[in-house]
Amino acid sequence: MSVHSSSSRLSSALALTLFSLLAAPQAVAGDALRPPVESQKDWLQLKSNELLRGEIKALYDDELEFDSDELDTVMIDWDDIKLLQSAGIVSIGFTDLSTRTGKLLIEDGRSYLDGVEFNPAEIMTIIAGDQEEANYWSGKISLGANIRSGNTDQIDYSARAKTTRRTTESRFNADYLGNYTKNDGESTVNNHRVNSNFDWFISKQFYLRPIFAELYKDPFLNIDYKATVGAGVGYNLIDSKKTEWSVSGGPAYTYTRFDQVETGARESDGSSSLVLETVYDTELTSSVDFTTKYQLQYSSEEAGGYSHHAIASLAVELTDIFDLDLSFVWDHTGKPQAGANGIMPDKNDYQFIIGFGVDL
């Protein structure tokens, strides 16, 4: 074998080995993964070193909503975040109830807003946009229906809807619950309830409720409509990333117009009242949420006396958008008013509702 031939083969082997090393994928240490400093997108890095590119939506209750370019909307526990970098302006609500805006960078336990360092433990909320634009809407609609035909023609319909608008300092809620049943052409159930309130936080736990309102209609309870308007205060007994428990209440004015009355009886009644409410919401598992709400009201006997509205719900996540909703509702009226026929409505109404919900 010639020296030239041996040298040629050795050179070819070295070249092939060098090409293989350059072409093979190289492992990158997790600590070396960093988003670009100048970027048109927000970046999020988990403690597992996974990187997500997208858009910061909002941080509430130690849970960040992030719209990923690849994974769509994801909810991330605040404790799982290693790095968060905003491309644009965000508004941050702090535990002292102040609000500041700017470009945010959180990295390795340190936080910066427009390059100025601050304590990350003071962050309470984050919303994309400046203070004038920083509001976040969320909502859910749940529908249930049962249609029968044959020996009995019956339609059962139920609907629940909820919308919430949040800023770094305030919260607005609006809820609707309605049920309708028609049996052989005759309506047997027809009730509707709308609740709304506005809260202004003066600390992380304590908030003022400048106004709350409710409109209720149930002709089978002899209520053409019942309107309540009031103001009060509220307090968060528990406010963690998995559980919220709040109590609220205050004085109100209640006006009731009856659907039918006996001869000589008053068609309507207005009186002062007291409204108390508690809401408990907890995450039983990663895909099952439990919520219960209990609202009681004291008003004049002509307006119904003591009454309460209680609802307990389980929401089972089927997909990122769709839920299976199971709800039990109990309405009680201490002093129902008799109709024109002299028949006294029952004091208690119970409902079990099965519906499919859509997160908006």
Side-chain angles (χ1 to χ4, degrees):
M1 180 182 296
S2 67
V3 174
H4 175 74
S5 176
S6 176
S7 175
S8 177
R9 286 197 296 270
L10 179 60
S11 297
S12 298
L14 288 173
L16 182 60
T17 302
L18 179 61
F19 176 79
S20 299
L21 290 172
L22 291 174
Q26 301 297 308
V28 179
D31 292 340
L33 292 173
R34 286 291 184 271
V37 176
E38 295 296 334
S39 174
Q40 299 300 313
K41 291 285 189 174
D42 300 332
W43 287 87
L44 181 152
Q45 186 175 29
L46 302 176
K47 289 182 178 179
S48 61
N49 290 317
E50 297 166 273
L51 267 174
L52 296 179
R53 183 183 67 174
E55 181 182 352
I56 297 170
K57 303 297 287 185
L59 169 71
Y60 276 100
D61 301 324
D62 294 324
E63 196 170 50
L64 179 73
E65 182 173 348
F66 191 83
D67 187 6
S68 167
D69 288 351
E70 296 295 330
L71 305 177
D72 296 325
T73 301
V74 292
M75 307 299 291
I76 307 293
D77 286 343
W78 188 241
D79 292 339
D80 293 336
I81 296 174
K82 178 180 180 180
L83 180 147
L84 185 64
Q85 176 181 303
S86 72
I89 301 298
V90 298
S91 294
I92 301 178
F94 293 90
T95 52
D96 64 359
L97 298 186
S98 64
T99 301
R100 297 199 312 230
T101 61
K103 290 188 176 182
L104 174 67
L105 173 62
I106 298 176
E107 185 175 17
D108 298 327
R110 306 182 74 173
S111 300
Y112 306 87
L113 193 63
D114 284 340
V116 179
E117 187 171 1
F118 65 94
N119 184 358
E122 296 176 353
I123 297 176
M124 189 166 64
T125 59
I126 300 175
I127 301 179
D130 59 27
Q131 282 184 269
E132 294 183 356
E133 301 172 344
N135 63 84
Y136 175 68
W137 287 89
S138 61
K140 182 176 183 179
I141 297 176
S142 181
L143 299 174
N146 181 18
I147 302 175
R148 305 177 189 174
S149 63
N151 294 321
T152 300
D153 293 328
Q154 181 170 318
I155 298 175
D156 297 311
Y157 149 86
S158 65
R160 292 187 65 190
K162 179 177 182 178
T163 184
T164 301
R165 176 186 179 271
R166 290 180 272 196
T167 72
T168 54
E169 299 173 338
S170 64
R171 174 179 61 196
F172 168 79
N173 295 311
D175 302 290
Y176 167 77
L177 173 62
N179 296 278
Y180 177 80
T181 297
K182 192 173 185 179
N183 193 331
D184 289 333
E186 182 179 351
S187 176
T188 56
V189 175
N190 186 11
N191 57 69
H192 307 270
R193 185 187 300 269
V194 179
N195 278 288
S196 181
N197 60 66
F198 177 78
D199 299 329
W200 187 269
F201 287 88
I202 59 177
S203 74
K204 187 175 181 180
Q205 287 78 30
F206 188 70
Y207 54 90
L208 300 178
R209 182 162 284 182
I211 185 170
F212 63 83
E214 179 182 86
L215 182 63
Y216 180 58
K217 176 182 179 65
D218 189 347
F220 293 96
L221 194 57
N222 196 23
I223 296 176
D224 184 27
Y225 66 87
K226 181 178 181 179
T228 301
V229 178
V233 296
Y235 189 82
N236 291 326
L237 298 173
I238 299 176
D239 188 6
S240 67
K241 65 181 180 181
K242 288 192 175 182
T243 302
E244 296 179 29
W245 183 17
S246 64
V247 293
S248 61
Y253 178 80
T254 299
Y255 178 82
T256 306
R257 182 173 182 83
F258 304 108
D259 187 60
Q260 299 177 7
V261 294
E262 297 178 289
T263 303
R266 297 173 59 178
E267 296 182 349
S268 62
D269 180 79
S271 69
S272 58
S273 59
L274 175 66
V275 177
L276 301 175
E277 178 183 282
T278 182
V279 179
Y280 181 82
D281 188 346
T282 189
E283 183 180 310
L284 298 179
T285 70
S286 60
S287 59
V288 180
D289 292 336
F290 173 73
T291 304
T292 183
K293 174 181 177 181
Y294 182 81
Q295 181 189 82
L296 63 88
Q297 180 174 338
Y298 292 96
S299 55
S300 67
E301 291 192 0
E302 290 76 10
Y306 162 78
S307 62
H308 73 230
H309 171 66
I311 180 168
S313 301
L314 278 176
V316 181
E317 182 179 314
L318 302 177
T319 69
D320 290 339
I321 300 176
F322 296 102
D323 295 339
L324 172 64
D325 294 326
L326 308 174
S327 302
F328 176 74
V329 183
W330 175 23
D331 288 310
H332 173 83
T333 302
K335 296 288 184 179
Q337 297 297 310
N341 55 10
I343 298 176
M344 187 71 68
D346 290 338
K347 294 183 178 182
N348 296 292
D349 278 320
Y350 305 97
Q351 304 170 56
F352 181 69
I353 303 171
I354 301 175
F356 289 93
V358 180
D359 294 317
L360 305 177

